[in-house]
Amino acid sequence: MFVVLLVCLLFFPSSLEASRTGGGKRREASASRAPPSSPAPSYRSAPSPTKNASLADVFAACKNYSGVCNTSAATACLSAIDKYRMEVYQIADDFCDCTDQIGAQLFAMYSPNVTGAVTYIHNCKPTCIWGNTCPFVATLLSVMSSNSSNLTAVGLVQLHPETSEVSYVIKPDVYGANVSQQAVTLRILKGLPGSTGGEVVVAFPAANGSSSSQWEGRAKLADFEVARAIAYAPLGYHLVLDGGKQTTTNSSRSNSSVAAGSFTLTGTLGVNVALYASLAPANASSAADGGFASLVIDTIRLSYRLVRVKNGSLISAEIAPVAGGANSTAPAPLTGSSAIALFGGASAALPALSGAVTPPLDSILSLLSAPHKHALKLNTTEGVKVGLLGTDVVVSATLDPKLEVPPVKAKVGSLGSTFELTLAEGYVGFLFKAAAGFDELITVAHLHEGKAGVDGGVLATLFTDFKGSTLQGAVDLENDVIAAIAADPSSYFVNIHTVNLSSGAGRGQLHYN
């Protein structure tokens, strides 16, 4: 986790000071957000041009640290990290990602001879696994797709506080397709993909595709406050890549085809990506039950969670491209050339229902540029289970006033109203259908965490002030929260509030259809 940004440094060698941002596990979503007001980070308007501290100073202070916290060596290492953070980033408070960033820089500059600082961060700052927002420093991730073709891509967007610039690298689908594009343009817009009238906040100059089948670009910002706003609330923005002349050559094992035409790729911005797989027995005659997997991936780490699977039955698990490349939808057998081992095997972790691995960069990019062309293969004592990966999954709920906490005993018309939620990349889409005869004004509809019979905190406000039969929309939500809902939907619920029943007029636990 402490080298999360090392990968990004490989993409953006011109800037050493790259860092990912992170967010809290949950928050109430809204169409747009201001930077958080509490707790507020302590920072000045921009990094100081005079940097008294250096990475060499941090390296010297931390190189003798043995990995044990609360020692004089650990104190010296921490003091050097704090001094460097303050003088380079102007961050007085202990923001985890600023500390992560220092570890990444040390690793990039001194590896394999540096251990002190990165070991300190790993051992003494376990809460930095997901981290907090580090002002002015951000590298964001996006999985982009097109409604008019099967082309997908993965994008990295970096904010450069030291030069008031924003840069990007877009890598299109690397499995079964080589894309030749004369020129593309990329924009960052406010709002979720598909929203109309989104304000363009960053417009990049047209870019030509490179020999490595990727697009790169950079834009100078007149006001870097725009980039800071994106860093604080990336889920309130999305990428739009427009292409003109397109030639797509399918180079899978036994098939070749060419398609021409324009295309548009869109994707939400975030600090990570969520993927899902519904598992089923690979052998149709197997008596094994299925299961479900949810993944959260950033630029260096893949975290997974398995549900409806017996822990004692696990042997090994891997993610790999489906056989046949781009033209195959069959999830088995899998090729092993670019597989990502989750657990089992000589170099992988011990079997567990949840965990994290750090795959090679090429494997991460291959997976994120074409998630629908990969499958998760789970070996168990009950048999092999396989599922194709996707970027969205659908859950639903039926409202019942008696399920509210406490139950609503009055006769109300919300009984039978339904929600259908699409858990997507960085946001949740919803479709509300009112029960026949229900015509009350809904003051607010919420998504909550909580098992049946238990009250729970609000994760997102789905909509407010609605009266009618159907309503469709979307709200943004962190991918780790979305992945947790996908893994165990019964631990979450939706409910509505009306004028007459302000404490709750109907509740429904989420479930798969």
Side-chain angles (χ1 to χ4, degrees):
M1 63 116 187
F2 39 80
V3 291
V4 166
L5 278 215
L6 174 58
V7 174
C8 300
L9 295 175
L10 299 177
F11 279 105
F12 306 103
S14 63
S15 174
L16 182 63
E17 297 176 0
S19 176
R20 69 174 177 85
T21 60
K25 289 289 183 181
R26 58 182 62 88
R27 67 181 176 186
E28 185 162 333
S30 60
S32 67
R33 287 186 193 82
S37 57
S38 179
S42 298
Y43 59 86
R44 290 193 271 275
S45 59
S48 171
T50 302
K51 300 176 181 179
N52 298 320
S54 69
L55 284 176
D57 297 331
V58 179
F59 174 74
C62 294
K63 65 180 181 180
N64 294 324
Y65 169 61
S66 63
V68 180
C69 303
N70 301 319
T71 63
S72 59
T75 301
C77 182
L78 176 61
S79 298
I81 290 174
D82 287 343
K83 178 178 173 63
Y84 186 82
R85 184 202 302 115
M86 181 61 212
E87 294 185 355
V88 174
Y89 292 117
Q90 303 293 288
I91 307 298
D93 295 335
D94 185 13
F95 279 80
C96 289
D97 277 322
C98 298
T99 305
D100 287 347
Q101 164 60 21
I102 296 168
Q105 292 176 36
L106 286 167
F107 194 90
M109 292 189 69
Y110 298 109
S111 180
N113 297 319
V114 61
T115 58
V118 291
T119 307
Y120 175 84
I121 297 166
H122 180 71
N123 289 351
C124 304
K125 292 183 175 293
T127 57
C128 290
I129 288 177
W130 292 104
N132 298 293
T133 299
C134 184
F136 299 116
V137 185
T139 298
L140 304 173
L141 187 67
S142 177
V143 169
M144 310 178 73
S145 61
S146 172
N147 293 327
S148 59
S149 71
N150 292 325
L151 181 62
T152 55
V154 57
L156 292 173
V157 173
Q158 185 183 27
L159 313 178
H160 302 272
E162 69 281 6
T163 59
S164 294
E165 292 177 305
V166 181
S167 64
Y168 71 87
V169 171
I170 306 293
K171 295 186 74 69
D173 184 350
V174 296
Y175 274 95
N178 296 318
V179 178
S180 174
Q181 177 62 49
Q182 288 190 349
V184 297
T185 58
L186 186 76
R187 296 166 293 156
I188 300 178
L189 280 69
K190 275 190 175 182
L192 299 173
S195 58
T196 58
E199 176 189 354
V200 177
V201 295
V202 179
F204 295 92
N208 294 318
S210 67
S211 58
S212 59
S213 297
Q214 68 184 33
W215 297 286
E216 301 179 47
R218 184 178 289 259
K220 186 80 172 181
L221 299 178
D223 183 3
F224 195 72
E225 291 298 306
V226 173
R228 190 181 74 163
I230 296 173
Y232 270 115
L235 295 179
Y237 300 85
H238 66 280
L239 297 179
V240 177
L241 184 144
D242 291 311
K245 298 178 181 179
Q246 176 198 16
T247 301
T248 303
T249 303
N250 188 336
S251 58
S252 60
R253 294 173 179 82
S254 59
N255 298 281
S256 179
S257 62
V258 176
S262 62
F263 65 93
T264 298
L265 300 178
T266 60
T268 53
L269 278 173
V271 297
N272 48 38
V273 169
L275 300 178
Y276 318 98
S278 181
L279 305 175
N283 187 341
S285 62
S286 173
D289 294 329
F292 190 85
S294 62
L295 312 175
V296 177
I297 308 167
D298 57 29
T299 51
I300 198 171
R301 178 180 50 206
L302 185 157
S303 301
Y304 70 89
R305 184 179 302 180
L306 303 173
V307 293
R308 302 200 304 274
V309 177
K310 293 180 181 179
N311 192 27
S313 70
L314 300 178
I315 300 175
S316 65
E318 70 172 11
I319 297 170
V322 295
N327 293 308
S328 175
T329 57
L334 297 174
T335 65
S337 58
S338 300
I340 300 174
L342 300 184
F343 55 78
S347 60
L350 295 175
L353 289 175
S354 62
V357 295
T358 53
L361 171 61
D362 288 344
S363 297
I364 290 178
L365 295 179
S366 297
L367 171 60
L368 295 184
S369 66
H372 59 289
K373 297 175 185 175
H374 289 73
L376 188 149
K377 180 180 180 181
L378 185 65
N379 291 312
T380 73
T381 56
E382 299 175 329
V384 177
K385 304 177 182 182
V386 181
L388 287 171
L389 289 171
T391 55
D392 58 58
V393 64
V394 177
V395 295
S396 59
T398 301
L399 300 185
D400 187 339
K402 293 182 180 179
L403 298 180
E404 288 282 5
V405 180
V408 175
K409 298 180 180 180
K411 184 177 180 180
V412 294
S414 65
L415 179 64
S417 298
T418 62
F419 276 91
E420 183 178 274
L421 301 184
T422 300
L423 309 178
E425 177 51 41
Y427 66 97
V428 175
F430 67 85
L431 174 62
F432 171 74
K433 294 183 179 180
F438 179 65
D439 60 354
E440 295 184 43
L441 173 65
I442 299 174
T443 56
V444 65
H446 286 141
L447 169 64
H448 291 260
E449 180 179 14
K451 292 183 177 294
V454 177
D455 201 3
V458 174
L459 295 177
T461 298
L462 300 177
F463 61 83
T464 59
D465 298 331
F466 172 74
K467 183 178 182 180
S469 58
T470 62
L471 181 65
Q472 192 168 3
V475 295
D476 57 350
L477 198 63
E478 279 92 349
N479 275 321
D480 54 339
V481 178
I482 295 174
I485 297 173
D488 185 16
S490 64
S491 293
Y492 300 84
F493 66 92
V494 290
N495 78 335
I496 61 173
H497 306 255
T498 64
V499 173
N500 295 324
L501 293 169
S502 58
S503 61
R507 166 175 169 162
Q509 298 296 129
L510 297 178
H511 60 82
Y512 288 109
N513 297 331

